[in-house]
Amino acid sequence: MPRLQPIASSFAAFALLAAAFFAIGGSQDASASGIWGDATGDDQVTTIDAVNVLYLASGADLPGIGPYPDADCSGEPGAGDVILILNFVAGLPFEPIPGCAPVGSWVEVTPTPSGASPPPAPTSTGTQASTPTPTPSSGTGPTPTPTATPSPNTATPTPAPNQTPVTSGEPDCAIFPEDNWWNTDISQSPVHANSAAFITSIGANTDLHPDFGTVWEGKPIGIPYVIVGAGQPKVPVTFYYDDSDPGPYPIPPNAPVEGQPVGQSNSANFGGDRHVIVVDESDCTLYETFDSHPVNGGQSWDTGSAAIFDLSSNALRPDTWTSADAAGLPIFAGLVRYSEVVEEGVINHALRFTVSDTRQAFIHPATHYASELTSPNLPAMGQRFRMKANYDCSWASSEVQAICTALKKYGMFVADNGSDWYISGAPDPRWDDDRIGDLKDIPGSAFEAVETGEPVITG
């Protein structure tokens, strides 16, 4: 955790903060909003939150004070909470506090009345999902016949009491059948005749980049997801791309949105792709949205596009249909996830990556293109690449070695237009950014395109 400042400095800071607080007529409501360090319930973390904690620590009589975010997990309001909040507001780096919730999540305790015994140490509200045991399926491979995704059940279930979405771990579902494209071993597939040209177009000397990690410039790095159960209410979803699946979707009102800065509400206008991913492990259904904005506190969502995937099926979206991804692919299936890489030590599926220039074509399982370029030397959406079998990753961290093994066996799909060789993953405060940063020393020349089928060209 950050070093505590001398006590004299703390009192001086308090005097200045208190003066500023009264000057602007700050609120004295210290109820927790669900955002780390937010003592005022306004969905943001500012110096006023530190002032509120100081009021609580002094035993001031503030009517209506409720639970407060216990920033240092001490069990009571104090200078430690204040220093952490002030460090956060100042943008200073944080180190994990053993047994305490990470920055970006929250725990809450009820302030201790004067003379009372302190409450027990708070615990995180989240629970770890169990690791799935995939059910083997027979067959020689999926039949690439695009079919519309089945309409979801429109019934709204009764919410389970105290249900908390899980934002890490693996859902208790197999992520598509064993013979699905994402789960197919392509280590022996033939090299594509135009592989060298594809590699050149992306950058043979351009290195890979992990598009996932902890936090960069105040934002979690990667595409977040939540795991829910049968008790999660379904809410209406609108979209401006007609090739989307109608709702309702079981999106929690506090679902994390891609690009959402730490300490900021998911309703804020922070831009970016704003993907939302929800896995309902009660019926093994995947829900994904793009450009996602909660309405009325998440009672409904406005999105750019929305897609539903049955995780027990190999069915594709109809040809020319997008999804929450430009290629019409499911995003969750291709993410690098902490639970696989670090806790299990193995990734049993293909990955997802982006390139800056793609061709006006797609290859199944992709169903959509997003380009007007027609050069045959550019990869199509859904083009599959693998790491060359003789590329040596023994020098890299164990995390990157696990990723290399997956890239040699399952490869990765071109899924969207973006920065070249950016591999997608989910953010997690437990990632070691330096260790996964070893990916940045792997060049594009370590890869080759493989032959997985003829492209569909509709332009």
Side-chain angles (χ1 to χ4, degrees):
M1 60 181 291
R3 295 178 180 175
L4 297 181
Q5 304 299 317
I7 191 68
S9 298
S10 297
F11 279 118
F14 169 60
L16 291 172
L17 288 171
F21 178 69
F22 286 115
I24 63 176
S27 168
Q28 294 183 351
D29 174 17
S31 60
S33 69
I35 295 177
W36 183 94
D38 179 19
T40 60
D42 60 356
D43 290 344
Q44 57 185 334
V45 180
T46 68
T47 55
I48 295 178
D49 297 298
V51 172
N52 270 283
V53 174
L54 284 171
Y55 267 98
L56 290 169
S58 69
D61 182 17
L62 297 177
I65 294 298
Y68 80 100
D70 186 16
D72 64 358
C73 292
S74 66
E76 58 184 353
D81 303 302
V82 174
I83 296 300
L84 286 173
I85 292 173
L86 289 177
N87 272 275
F88 176 75
V89 172
L92 298 177
F94 279 77
E95 295 179 9
I97 302 173
C100 194
V103 174
S105 63
W106 68 296
V107 291
E108 64 179 30
V109 300
T110 302
T112 306
S114 178
S117 300
T123 57
S124 174
T125 56
T127 56
Q128 187 75 16
S130 58
T131 302
T133 302
T135 302
S137 59
S138 59
T140 58
T143 302
T145 302
T147 58
T149 306
S151 298
N153 186 349
T154 58
T156 302
T158 302
N162 301 321
Q163 178 168 320
T164 302
V166 178
T167 56
S168 64
E170 294 298 299
D172 193 16
C173 295
I175 309 304
F176 295 113
E178 193 176 71
D179 61 351
N180 187 270
W181 286 270
W182 288 95
N183 305 323
T184 301
D185 182 345
I186 49 88
S187 60
Q188 302 303 314
S189 297
V191 176
H192 195 286
N194 214 22
S195 175
F198 294 154
I199 298 296
T200 298
S201 74
I202 304 172
N205 296 318
T206 302
D207 295 329
L208 300 188
H209 191 95
D211 202 9
F212 58 94
T214 57
V215 176
W216 174 254
E217 295 185 342
K219 298 180 180 181
I221 311 168
I223 304 175
Y225 63 92
V226 294
I227 301 171
V228 301
Q232 181 62 51
K234 292 184 177 181
V235 297
V237 172
T238 61
F239 37 81
Y240 52 79
Y241 284 116
D242 292 337
D243 44 348
S244 296
D245 297 319
Y249 284 48
I251 305 178
N254 62 340
V257 176
E258 181 189 11
Q260 179 181 342
V262 174
Q264 193 169 105
S265 166
N266 61 15
S267 61
N269 186 26
F270 45 80
D273 284 349
R274 298 185 65 110
H275 287 112
V276 167
I277 298 178
V278 179
V279 184
D280 188 340
E281 61 182 0
S282 68
D283 60 4
C284 295
T285 303
L286 173 64
Y287 300 83
E288 299 184 342
T289 62
F290 158 73
D291 194 16
S292 316
H293 300 264
V295 178
N296 294 327
Q299 295 182 40
S300 64
W301 287 73
D302 287 341
T303 73
S305 57
I308 302 173
F309 296 90
D310 179 355
L311 293 176
S312 66
S313 170
N314 286 329
L316 300 179
R317 298 180 67 69
D319 277 352
T320 74
W321 276 38
T322 188
S323 59
D325 214 353
L329 294 167
I331 296 173
F332 181 77
L335 295 180
V336 178
R337 303 187 289 275
Y338 182 92
S339 50
E340 295 178 307
V341 173
V342 179
E343 296 175 352
E344 299 297 324
V346 62
I347 302 173
N348 290 314
H349 58 81
L351 303 181
R352 171 192 188 274
F353 81 113
T354 61
V355 302
S356 58
D357 292 323
T358 55
R359 172 184 179 193
Q360 193 181 68
F362 57 84
I363 301 173
H364 292 150
T367 59
H368 185 261
Y369 63 75
S371 175
E372 295 182 353
L373 302 175
T374 58
S375 170
N377 294 328
L378 297 175
M381 286 293 184
Q383 196 88 54
R384 199 161 183 170
F385 291 75
R386 71 173 172 228
M387 179 175 280
K388 294 176 180 177
N390 62 357
Y391 185 80
D392 181 17
C393 287
S394 62
W395 55 269
S397 66
S398 58
E399 292 92 330
V400 169
Q401 288 188 50
I403 294 170
C404 287
T405 299
L407 290 172
K408 291 180 179 182
K409 183 175 182 179
Y410 300 101
M412 57 185 179
F413 289 107
V414 175
D416 199 354
N417 295 318
S419 298
D420 288 320
W421 299 119
Y422 270 49
I423 296 180
S424 303
D428 196 297
R430 298 170 294 176
W431 283 119
D432 185 322
D433 290 326
D434 288 336
R435 291 176 65 83
I436 61 178
D438 283 354
L439 282 172
K440 299 176 185 178
D441 291 323
I442 299 176
S445 59
F447 290 84
E448 58 195 3
V450 297
E451 184 65 65
T452 58
E454 291 299 316
V456 177
I457 303 173
T458 58

